[in-house]
Structure formats: structure tokens, C-alpha cells
Amino acid sequence: LLLLSVDCLVANRYAPELARLAREYTNRGVVFHGIHCDPNLTAEQARRHATEYELPFPVLLDPTQELARAARVTRVPTTVVLSPAGVVLYHWRVDDRNIGTRKARAEPTR
């Protein structure tokens, strides 16, 4: 699960990496879903965002933030990796590339 926001600079900065990961791992049986938790976001806005950032996975709306709460997500972007049984295997950032809202490392260190 990739918790996104159309207005988040950090989430949008990660979009190419998320798309790359999806292209690489989908063929290995990994399922990717983008999740928008903004209660005011329309399906058309989410669709435009996915198209603009070339996201090759389904993007779902979570306007009541029920999924975000169940996954214990408090900010975007957050990545949640689930096992086939629904057990949380990872819950945090994609990597440590982001230093702040407007600063990022050229390459992640982990």
C-alpha cells in the first residue's frame, strides 16, 4: 500500500521510484495499490494524478481514512507492505532519500 497525496511534494518526488518498483515487482507477484486519504479528493483528481505521475498500479480512494487508520498511517507518503495473510511486514518510508519537504539526497543510503 502506497499512501499518497496529490499535494504532497515528497510523495510526488517519490512517484518515479514507486512506478519503477511496481514495474519491477509486479511480475514477481507483488501487488501495488496507491491510496488517497483526502476526503475531498475526487476520483477524477486521483485519476489525473496517477496519469500525470505515470503510476502503473490501481489508485484507490479512502475518504473516511478507514484503511489509513487500520494500517496505522499518520502521514503521507507511507509505504505499508503486507504479507499474503495481511500481516504488516514493513511500515514506513520507501527509503531514506528524503531529508525534508524540500530537500533530498541524490541516492538513498538505506
Side-chain angles (χ1 to χ4, degrees), residues 4-6 10 12 14 23 25 28 38 40 42 45 48 55 57 75 78 80-81 84 86 89-90 92 102 106:
L4 308 169
S5 170
V6 298
V10 176
N12 290 336
Y14 270 106
R23 285 190 300 274
Y25 287 95
R28 299 181 192 183
D38 180 346
N40 299 313
T42 67
Q45 290 169 316
R48 276 196 311 261
L55 301 177
F57 44 79
R75 64 186 58 149
T78 295
V80 180
V81 178
L89 302 174
Y90 180 81
W92 196 234
R102 302 199 186 278

mmCIF file of all heavy atoms in Angstrom, residues 4-6 10 12 14 23 25 28 38 40 42 45 48 55 57 75 78 80-81 84 86 89-90 92 102 106:
data_model
loop_
_atom_site.group_PDB
_atom_site.id
_atom_site.type_symbol
_atom_site.label_atom_id
_atom_site.label_comp_id
_atom_site.label_asym_id
_atom_site.label_seq_id
_atom_site.Cartn_x
_atom_site.Cartn_y
_atom_site.Cartn_z
ATOM 1 N N LEU A 4 -0.598 8.107 -0.621
ATOM 2 C CA LEU A 4 -0.198 9.226 -1.466
ATOM 3 C C LEU A 4 -1.025 10.468 -1.179
ATOM 4 O O LEU A 4 -2.035 10.406 -0.498
ATOM 5 C CB LEU A 4 -0.405 8.849 -2.940
ATOM 6 C CG LEU A 4 0.209 7.545 -3.417
ATOM 7 C CD1 LEU A 4 -0.313 7.200 -4.795
ATOM 8 C CD2 LEU A 4 1.715 7.639 -3.398
ATOM 9 N N SER A 5 -0.605 11.558 -1.780
ATOM 10 C CA SER A 5 -1.378 12.789 -1.768
ATOM 11 C C SER A 5 -1.039 13.563 -3.034
ATOM 12 O O SER A 5 0.134 13.652 -3.408
ATOM 13 C CB SER A 5 -1.032 13.636 -0.538
ATOM 14 O OG SER A 5 -1.603 14.923 -0.659
ATOM 15 N N VAL A 6 -2.044 14.131 -3.670
ATOM 16 C CA VAL A 6 -1.787 14.896 -4.892
ATOM 17 C C VAL A 6 -1.009 16.167 -4.587
ATOM 18 O O VAL A 6 -0.322 16.685 -5.458
ATOM 19 C CB VAL A 6 -3.085 15.231 -5.658
ATOM 20 C CG1 VAL A 6 -3.790 13.975 -6.112
ATOM 21 C CG2 VAL A 6 -4.008 16.104 -4.857
ATOM 22 N N VAL A 10 6.763 15.558 -1.253
ATOM 23 C CA VAL A 10 7.565 14.366 -1.002
ATOM 24 C C VAL A 10 6.960 13.159 -1.715
ATOM 25 O O VAL A 10 7.660 12.408 -2.392
ATOM 26 C CB VAL A 10 7.718 14.102 0.511
ATOM 27 C CG1 VAL A 10 8.463 12.805 0.771
ATOM 28 C CG2 VAL A 10 8.425 15.273 1.185
ATOM 29 N N ASN A 12 5.039 13.113 -4.302
ATOM 30 C CA ASN A 12 5.189 13.297 -5.742
ATOM 31 C C ASN A 12 6.639 13.107 -6.176
ATOM 32 O O ASN A 12 6.895 12.610 -7.279
ATOM 33 C CB ASN A 12 4.650 14.658 -6.162
ATOM 34 C CG ASN A 12 3.143 14.716 -6.052
ATOM 35 O OD1 ASN A 12 2.464 13.696 -6.093
ATOM 36 N ND2 ASN A 12 2.610 15.909 -5.898
ATOM 37 N N TYR A 14 8.592 10.952 -4.937
ATOM 38 C CA TYR A 14 8.794 9.504 -4.936
ATOM 39 C C TYR A 14 8.066 8.798 -6.071
ATOM 40 O O TYR A 14 8.307 7.606 -6.314
ATOM 41 C CB TYR A 14 8.346 8.892 -3.607
ATOM 42 C CG TYR A 14 9.455 8.832 -2.597
ATOM 43 C CD1 TYR A 14 9.475 9.696 -1.528
ATOM 44 C CD2 TYR A 14 10.485 7.900 -2.719
ATOM 45 C CE1 TYR A 14 10.495 9.660 -0.596
ATOM 46 C CE2 TYR A 14 11.507 7.853 -1.800
ATOM 47 C CZ TYR A 14 11.509 8.727 -0.730
ATOM 48 O OH TYR A 14 12.522 8.680 0.178
ATOM 49 N N ARG A 23 6.793 -1.661 -11.524
ATOM 50 C CA ARG A 23 7.128 -2.339 -12.778
ATOM 51 C C ARG A 23 8.052 -3.536 -12.521
ATOM 52 O O ARG A 23 7.919 -4.592 -13.140
ATOM 53 C CB ARG A 23 7.760 -1.373 -13.773
ATOM 54 C CG ARG A 23 6.762 -0.415 -14.413
ATOM 55 C CD ARG A 23 7.373 0.362 -15.563
ATOM 56 N NE ARG A 23 8.512 1.166 -15.154
ATOM 57 C CZ ARG A 23 8.445 2.390 -14.655
ATOM 58 N NH1 ARG A 23 7.267 2.975 -14.495
ATOM 59 N NH2 ARG A 23 9.525 3.049 -14.319
ATOM 60 N N TYR A 25 8.474 -5.314 -9.555
ATOM 61 C CA TYR A 25 7.993 -6.361 -8.656
ATOM 62 C C TYR A 25 6.620 -6.938 -8.996
ATOM 63 O O TYR A 25 6.269 -8.006 -8.508
ATOM 64 C CB TYR A 25 8.024 -5.863 -7.215
ATOM 65 C CG TYR A 25 9.436 -5.789 -6.694
ATOM 66 C CD1 TYR A 25 10.147 -4.605 -6.739
ATOM 67 C CD2 TYR A 25 10.065 -6.921 -6.182
ATOM 68 C CE1 TYR A 25 11.456 -4.536 -6.287
ATOM 69 C CE2 TYR A 25 11.366 -6.866 -5.729
ATOM 70 C CZ TYR A 25 12.060 -5.675 -5.784
ATOM 71 O OH TYR A 25 13.356 -5.618 -5.345
ATOM 72 N N ARG A 28 6.740 -10.304 -10.221
ATOM 73 C CA ARG A 28 7.145 -11.279 -9.205
ATOM 74 C C ARG A 28 5.994 -11.587 -8.242
ATOM 75 O O ARG A 28 6.196 -12.207 -7.215
ATOM 76 C CB ARG A 28 8.333 -10.744 -8.414
ATOM 77 C CG ARG A 28 9.559 -10.495 -9.273
ATOM 78 C CD ARG A 28 10.698 -10.003 -8.425
ATOM 79 N NE ARG A 28 11.781 -9.497 -9.222
ATOM 80 C CZ ARG A 28 12.920 -9.054 -8.719
ATOM 81 N NH1 ARG A 28 13.101 -9.050 -7.415
ATOM 82 N NH2 ARG A 28 13.856 -8.598 -9.510
ATOM 83 N N ASP A 38 -7.406 11.741 1.265
ATOM 84 C CA ASP A 38 -8.012 13.077 1.317
ATOM 85 C C ASP A 38 -9.520 12.957 1.105
ATOM 86 O O ASP A 38 -9.975 12.517 0.052
ATOM 87 C CB ASP A 38 -7.395 13.953 0.226
ATOM 88 C CG ASP A 38 -7.934 15.354 0.191
ATOM 89 O OD1 ASP A 38 -8.975 15.632 0.826
ATOM 90 O OD2 ASP A 38 -7.315 16.192 -0.481
ATOM 91 N N ASN A 40 -11.652 15.089 0.418
ATOM 92 C CA ASN A 40 -12.178 15.997 -0.600
ATOM 93 C C ASN A 40 -11.706 15.664 -2.009
ATOM 94 O O ASN A 40 -12.104 16.325 -2.964
ATOM 95 C CB ASN A 40 -11.785 17.439 -0.263
ATOM 96 C CG ASN A 40 -12.357 17.863 1.078
ATOM 97 O OD1 ASN A 40 -13.529 17.649 1.354
ATOM 98 N ND2 ASN A 40 -11.517 18.416 1.932
ATOM 99 N N THR A 42 -11.552 13.899 -5.475
ATOM 100 C CA THR A 42 -12.493 13.172 -6.330
ATOM 101 C C THR A 42 -11.760 12.061 -7.081
ATOM 102 O O THR A 42 -10.527 12.078 -7.207
ATOM 103 C CB THR A 42 -13.150 14.110 -7.358
ATOM 104 O OG1 THR A 42 -12.139 14.548 -8.284
ATOM 105 C CG2 THR A 42 -13.819 15.306 -6.680
ATOM 106 N N GLN A 45 -9.765 13.569 -9.923
ATOM 107 C CA GLN A 45 -8.495 14.170 -9.490
ATOM 108 C C GLN A 45 -7.449 13.081 -9.245
ATOM 109 O O GLN A 45 -6.289 13.244 -9.624
ATOM 110 C CB GLN A 45 -8.697 15.010 -8.231
ATOM 111 C CG GLN A 45 -9.473 16.277 -8.474
ATOM 112 C CD GLN A 45 -9.889 16.936 -7.168
ATOM 113 O OE1 GLN A 45 -10.346 16.276 -6.228
ATOM 114 N NE2 GLN A 45 -9.740 18.256 -7.110
ATOM 115 N N ARG A 48 -6.317 11.766 -12.646
ATOM 116 C CA ARG A 48 -5.395 12.713 -13.303
ATOM 117 C C ARG A 48 -4.007 12.645 -12.669
ATOM 118 O O ARG A 48 -2.992 12.678 -13.370
ATOM 119 C CB ARG A 48 -5.943 14.132 -13.219
ATOM 120 C CG ARG A 48 -6.931 14.461 -14.305
ATOM 121 C CD ARG A 48 -7.160 15.953 -14.454
ATOM 122 N NE ARG A 48 -7.422 16.638 -13.208
ATOM 123 C CZ ARG A 48 -8.621 16.984 -12.755
ATOM 124 N NH1 ARG A 48 -9.692 16.719 -13.477
ATOM 125 N NH2 ARG A 48 -8.761 17.613 -11.613
ATOM 126 N N LEU A 55 1.704 6.413 -12.749
ATOM 127 C CA LEU A 55 1.643 5.349 -11.747
ATOM 128 C C LEU A 55 1.009 4.112 -12.375
ATOM 129 O O LEU A 55 -0.151 4.151 -12.785
ATOM 130 C CB LEU A 55 0.834 5.816 -10.532
ATOM 131 C CG LEU A 55 1.384 7.070 -9.832
ATOM 132 C CD1 LEU A 55 0.471 7.481 -8.694
ATOM 133 C CD2 LEU A 55 2.810 6.844 -9.350
ATOM 134 N N PHE A 57 -0.180 1.343 -11.252
ATOM 135 C CA PHE A 57 -0.931 0.493 -10.333
ATOM 136 C C PHE A 57 -2.258 1.166 -10.023
ATOM 137 O O PHE A 57 -2.409 2.373 -10.212
ATOM 138 C CB PHE A 57 -0.139 0.231 -9.044
ATOM 139 C CG PHE A 57 0.546 1.446 -8.468
ATOM 140 C CD1 PHE A 57 -0.145 2.392 -7.732
ATOM 141 C CD2 PHE A 57 1.901 1.627 -8.659
ATOM 142 C CE1 PHE A 57 0.482 3.505 -7.205
ATOM 143 C CE2 PHE A 57 2.549 2.744 -8.131
ATOM 144 C CZ PHE A 57 1.835 3.674 -7.401
ATOM 145 N N ARG A 75 0.786 9.834 8.212
ATOM 146 C CA ARG A 75 1.274 10.847 7.267
ATOM 147 C C ARG A 75 1.562 10.213 5.921
ATOM 148 O O ARG A 75 1.718 9.004 5.831
ATOM 149 C CB ARG A 75 2.516 11.550 7.801
ATOM 150 C CG ARG A 75 3.708 10.623 7.975
ATOM 151 C CD ARG A 75 4.853 11.304 8.619
ATOM 152 N NE ARG A 75 4.391 11.802 9.895
ATOM 153 C CZ ARG A 75 5.094 11.951 10.975
ATOM 154 N NH1 ARG A 75 6.340 11.652 10.958
ATOM 155 N NH2 ARG A 75 4.597 12.402 12.090
ATOM 156 N N THR A 78 3.575 7.133 3.008
ATOM 157 C CA THR A 78 3.916 5.979 3.836
ATOM 158 C C THR A 78 3.732 4.735 2.989
ATOM 159 O O THR A 78 2.794 4.648 2.202
ATOM 160 C CB THR A 78 3.020 5.894 5.089
ATOM 161 O OG1 THR A 78 3.272 7.018 5.925
ATOM 162 C CG2 THR A 78 3.287 4.630 5.882
ATOM 163 N N VAL A 80 3.256 0.626 3.211
ATOM 164 C CA VAL A 80 2.897 -0.496 4.075
ATOM 165 C C VAL A 80 2.987 -1.755 3.226
ATOM 166 O O VAL A 80 2.300 -1.868 2.211
ATOM 167 C CB VAL A 80 1.476 -0.335 4.660
ATOM 168 C CG1 VAL A 80 1.134 -1.524 5.552
ATOM 169 C CG2 VAL A 80 1.342 0.973 5.425
ATOM 170 N N VAL A 81 3.847 -2.675 3.649
ATOM 171 C CA VAL A 81 3.985 -3.950 2.952
ATOM 172 C C VAL A 81 3.288 -5.006 3.795
ATOM 173 O O VAL A 81 3.583 -5.156 4.982
ATOM 174 C CB VAL A 81 5.476 -4.319 2.745
ATOM 175 C CG1 VAL A 81 5.595 -5.681 2.062
ATOM 176 C CG2 VAL A 81 6.181 -3.241 1.932
ATOM 177 N N PRO A 84 0.811 -12.058 2.324
ATOM 178 C CA PRO A 84 -0.446 -12.560 1.754
ATOM 179 C C PRO A 84 -1.528 -12.779 2.814
ATOM 180 O O PRO A 84 -2.715 -12.690 2.512
ATOM 181 C CB PRO A 84 -0.036 -13.879 1.090
ATOM 182 C CG PRO A 84 1.393 -13.666 0.730
ATOM 183 C CD PRO A 84 1.963 -12.851 1.876
ATOM 184 N N GLY A 86 -1.991 -10.775 5.304
ATOM 185 C CA GLY A 86 -2.380 -9.480 5.841
ATOM 186 C C GLY A 86 -1.541 -9.004 7.016
ATOM 187 O O GLY A 86 -1.862 -7.994 7.640
ATOM 188 N N LEU A 89 4.489 -6.340 7.271
ATOM 189 C CA LEU A 89 5.902 -6.688 7.219
ATOM 190 C C LEU A 89 6.788 -5.451 7.268
ATOM 191 O O LEU A 89 7.939 -5.526 7.696
ATOM 192 C CB LEU A 89 6.207 -7.474 5.937
ATOM 193 C CG LEU A 89 5.415 -8.768 5.739
ATOM 194 C CD1 LEU A 89 5.723 -9.360 4.372
ATOM 195 C CD2 LEU A 89 5.726 -9.749 6.856
ATOM 196 N N TYR A 90 6.261 -4.339 6.786
ATOM 197 C CA TYR A 90 7.038 -3.087 6.752
ATOM 198 C C TYR A 90 6.048 -1.934 6.798
ATOM 199 O O TYR A 90 4.998 -1.987 6.167
ATOM 200 C CB TYR A 90 7.878 -3.010 5.472
ATOM 201 C CG TYR A 90 8.702 -1.751 5.375
ATOM 202 C CD1 TYR A 90 9.915 -1.639 6.041
ATOM 203 C CD2 TYR A 90 8.263 -0.675 4.627
ATOM 204 C CE1 TYR A 90 10.675 -0.472 5.956
ATOM 205 C CE2 TYR A 90 9.008 0.495 4.539
ATOM 206 C CZ TYR A 90 10.203 0.585 5.206
ATOM 207 O OH TYR A 90 10.942 1.727 5.128
ATOM 208 N N TRP A 92 6.690 2.243 6.817
ATOM 209 C CA TRP A 92 7.473 3.471 6.939
ATOM 210 C C TRP A 92 7.702 4.042 5.562
ATOM 211 O O TRP A 92 6.846 3.973 4.703
ATOM 212 C CB TRP A 92 8.781 3.219 7.686
ATOM 213 C CG TRP A 92 9.456 4.476 8.176
ATOM 214 C CD1 TRP A 92 10.746 4.843 7.932
ATOM 215 C CD2 TRP A 92 8.913 5.528 8.982
ATOM 216 N NE1 TRP A 92 11.033 6.043 8.542
ATOM 217 C CE2 TRP A 92 9.929 6.484 9.191
ATOM 218 C CE3 TRP A 92 7.669 5.751 9.539
ATOM 219 C CZ2 TRP A 92 9.742 7.649 9.931
ATOM 220 C CZ3 TRP A 92 7.476 6.911 10.278
ATOM 221 C CH2 TRP A 92 8.515 7.832 10.472
ATOM 222 N N ARG A 102 11.629 19.930 1.233
ATOM 223 C CA ARG A 102 12.234 20.466 0.009
ATOM 224 C C ARG A 102 13.664 20.003 -0.222
ATOM 225 O O ARG A 102 14.353 20.532 -1.072
ATOM 226 C CB ARG A 102 12.181 21.989 0.045
ATOM 227 C CG ARG A 102 10.766 22.517 0.181
ATOM 228 C CD ARG A 102 10.666 23.958 -0.249
ATOM 229 N NE ARG A 102 9.366 24.506 0.013
ATOM 230 C CZ ARG A 102 8.307 24.351 -0.780
ATOM 231 N NH1 ARG A 102 8.397 23.665 -1.865
ATOM 232 N NH2 ARG A 102 7.152 24.895 -0.463
ATOM 233 N N ALA A 106 20.672 12.636 -3.319
ATOM 234 C CA ALA A 106 20.685 12.167 -4.710
ATOM 235 C C ALA A 106 20.398 10.668 -4.754
ATOM 236 O O ALA A 106 19.694 10.189 -5.638
ATOM 237 C CB ALA A 106 22.019 12.472 -5.369
#
